[in-house]
Amino acid sequence: MGILVFDVGTSSMRGVLMNEQADILCQFQEKYHPDFHLSIYVTQNPEIWRSVLYDIAKNIQIWCEEHGHKVEMISLTAQRTSMIPVDRDGNALCDAVMWQDKRNIKTCMRLAGYDGDIIRRSGTMVNPVFAGSKMAWLHENEPEIYDRSYKLFVVADYLFYHMTGQMKTDRTYASRFHLMNLRTGQWDKQLLDIFDVEESKLCELIDPGELHGYTNEAFSKASGIPTGV
């Protein structure tokens, strides 16, 4: 079995093909970098991630064809809290607000008044790195983009969508949103009210390791990897 693992970091993405014994068969890496504006603005064009994903997948598929292997399973891990507002077709409405971005500091200072409830429900105090306060900042400061957004993705959601067409996120990523109740594993109404984020703008929750979906025609055409993986 060929297991393709994507590791999506802040400064590069790697694709590693392994067998069932976790022996590395081949790997490819491409570098990129966020854009730093002034002292607190940090962004990145999400198309860079999608383009690099396709390039690496294509190189893996070419290697497989040359060496008699095939990709039978795909897994992906990514930086957790960079936020990407998207439309119904998964197209980004603006550059990603990166996890290092601190435009939401004032929002966090206001939300800190609810830290008791937030800690009890989400497991941690308000932090500008987490995605929920970035979503709250977007709603307050860029309402047109917030209103136009169909979903508020993080990087893993964005890339999984462009492989499968599914809008899902696993609970490990959601635990960094401040919007999921750690005890129930579900989006929490009280937290959503505190952060003023609509549940409809969040992805369906699944467990880590749960089947996300299958590679679709668009991804297959871009990468050469067959549909149905």
Side-chain angles (χ1 to χ4, degrees):
M1 176 180 288
I3 304 165
L4 171 55
V5 180
F6 289 103
D7 178 12
V8 187
T10 303
S11 57
S12 73
M13 186 187 307
R14 288 190 298 169
V16 181
L17 186 69
M18 300 186 292
N19 61 21
E20 290 178 274
Q21 289 73 44
D23 300 317
I24 294 176
L25 304 176
C26 71
Q27 60 180 309
F28 295 88
Q29 181 177 18
E30 290 194 27
K31 295 185 177 181
Y32 43 71
H33 57 82
D35 297 315
F36 292 85
H37 316 270
L38 304 175
S39 60
I40 60 172
Y41 287 46
V42 188
T43 64
Q44 185 161 319
N45 181 351
E47 283 298 312
I48 293 171
W49 289 311
R50 177 157 57 156
S51 176
V52 169
L53 179 84
Y54 291 166
D55 285 348
I56 291 175
K58 189 180 297 183
N59 285 330
I60 294 282
Q61 180 62 21
I62 290 170
W63 187 93
C64 285
E65 292 170 0
E66 291 175 346
H67 293 83
H69 289 274
K70 63 179 180 178
V71 175
E72 298 175 273
M73 183 183 297
I74 297 174
S75 184
L76 181 144
T77 183
Q79 50 171 293
R80 290 172 287 183
T81 57
S82 300
M83 178 191 65
I84 310 167
V86 300
D87 64 17
R88 286 179 177 270
D89 297 317
N91 298 310
L93 300 176
C94 63
D95 283 350
V97 179
M98 295 293 287
W99 63 267
Q100 308 104 306
D101 192 288
K102 296 295 191 297
R103 278 174 282 179
N104 56 345
I105 285 178
K106 289 184 178 179
T107 301
C108 288
M109 290 172 64
R110 175 177 59 79
L111 292 170
Y114 299 94
D115 254 345
D117 285 334
I118 292 170
I119 292 169
R120 280 191 292 273
R121 292 173 178 272
S122 76
T124 186
M125 66 181 63
V126 172
N127 186 320
V129 171
F130 287 10
S133 58
K134 297 184 189 299
M135 296 173 184
W137 175 89
L138 185 74
H139 199 174
E140 294 169 0
N141 295 275
E142 300 285 352
E144 291 186 6
I145 294 176
Y146 179 88
D147 290 342
R148 286 171 55 208
S149 65
Y150 181 66
K151 295 292 180 185
L152 300 172
F153 280 170
V154 290
V155 178
D157 308 338
Y158 179 78
L159 294 177
F160 270 126
Y161 174 80
H162 288 292
M163 287 191 283
T164 70
Q166 301 293 312
M167 294 183 172
K168 301 177 182 178
T169 197
D170 85 43
R171 290 178 171 88
T172 56
Y173 294 103
S175 71
R176 303 275 290 189
F177 284 24
H178 277 137
L179 302 176
M180 186 188 78
N181 187 305
L182 282 187
R183 293 181 175 82
T184 66
Q186 302 298 324
W187 301 123
D188 186 283
K189 184 180 185 306
Q190 185 168 336
L191 293 173
L192 292 167
D193 288 345
I194 290 171
F195 284 82
D196 196 19
V197 174
E198 299 158 65
E199 185 174 348
S200 62
K201 293 190 181 292
L202 303 176
C203 292
E204 174 189 346
L205 287 165
I206 60 174
D207 286 333
E210 186 176 337
L211 176 66
H212 190 286
Y214 297 90
T215 51
N216 58 22
E217 290 283 354
F219 179 69
S220 180
K221 184 176 180 181
S223 68
I225 291 176
T227 59
V229 176

